[in-house]
Amino acid sequence: MLVTCWSTKGGSGTTVIAALVSLHAAQDRDRPVLLVDLSGDLPAVFGCAETSSGLAEWLRSDLAPCSLERMLEELTPNLSLLPRGRGPLSARRADELVDWLGSDGIVVVDAGVLRSKEESSDRGSDDEIRWRLAAEADRSVLVTRACYLALRRTVSLPVRPSGVVLVTESGRALTRSDCERAIGAPVLATVAIDPEIARAVDAGMLRTRVPKGPIKALGRLTEEL
């Protein structure tokens, strides 16, 4: 089961939501859970040392897919992290990566921000692999705030999420129903901006200081995985 978390605007909380979803799945299932980092921030969130190699290096190499297993870092007894590594994320081996991620188990991907094709071309970015994993996921999850600009970007993209995690904050005029109508997908969970989460992330202690409220709210995402 492949679950890809993505956003259309930086600062939406995609990395934290992907981390919490993987932690919840690892707690509630007896199958192994793999967390894949396409943005590069997850080691800091979990208080891990930065690695010298990861997915980026494998995508540019000719190593067999099984070599990815040697790059994994254990976060909890049932949860492993595949770090991003350094350098561009080449899409040359996208088919092999999708096949490997599709093996038995639960895979949660932090795909970060999906930009339009025009933005990707203008910036010379390596977004193709992000698009591929968002499009081919069993659950393609948009992480967004009730922000008009973020929703406007989402509507303009060719990929549609299968579900939404709505990060809520006071002062927003748009409601949950407004977001569902604009996006065309159900809100599976609402997670309030919480100082407890921010403190755990800033301290690199999210795996040991797991906030109970957001974990409970995200439970629906891991149902039937």
Side-chain angles (χ1 to χ4, degrees), residues 4-52:
T4 300
C5 299
W6 54 276
S7 64
T8 59
K9 201 168 182 288
S12 298
T14 311
T15 293
V16 173
I17 294 299
L20 292 173
V21 169
S22 67
L23 285 167
H24 188 283
Q27 289 175 352
D28 280 10
R29 301 291 184 271
D30 55 9
R31 285 186 291 172
V33 178
L34 173 62
L35 178 58
V36 180
D37 186 5
L38 298 188
S39 296
D41 291 328
L42 283 167
V45 166
F46 286 108
C48 302
E50 297 288 342
T51 59
S52 59

Side-chain angles (χ1 to χ4, degrees), residues 87-198:
L89 293 171
S90 169
R92 179 176 66 90
R93 305 184 66 183
D95 289 341
E96 292 176 84
L97 177 63
V98 170
D99 288 343
W100 186 77
L101 294 177
S103 59
D104 187 40
I106 299 170
V107 179
V108 179
V109 177
D110 172 17
V113 177
L114 292 191
R115 293 187 284 262
S116 69
K117 300 297 184 181
E118 293 75 16
E119 289 178 304
S120 296
S121 175
D122 290 344
R123 301 181 189 187
S125 63
D126 48 29
D127 287 344
E128 186 175 344
I129 198 75
R130 303 174 192 268
W131 278 94
R132 181 72 181 274
L133 292 179
E136 300 206 14
D138 298 294
R139 289 193 178 181
S140 183
V141 179
L142 168 67
V143 180
T144 187
R145 303 191 186 199
C147 166
Y148 171 73
L149 295 179
L151 296 182
R152 183 170 176 268
R153 290 189 181 195
T154 301
V155 171
S156 70
L157 294 179
V159 65
R160 296 263 71 82
S162 54
V164 178
V165 171
L166 185 61
V167 179
T168 61
E169 57 190 327
S170 61
R172 289 291 185 185
L174 298 176
T175 66
R176 172 177 176 149
S177 296
D178 292 332
C179 295
E180 288 182 324
R181 284 195 296 270
I183 297 167
V187 171
L188 302 178
T190 58
V191 177
I193 293 178
D194 186 346
E196 183 183 355
I197 300 176

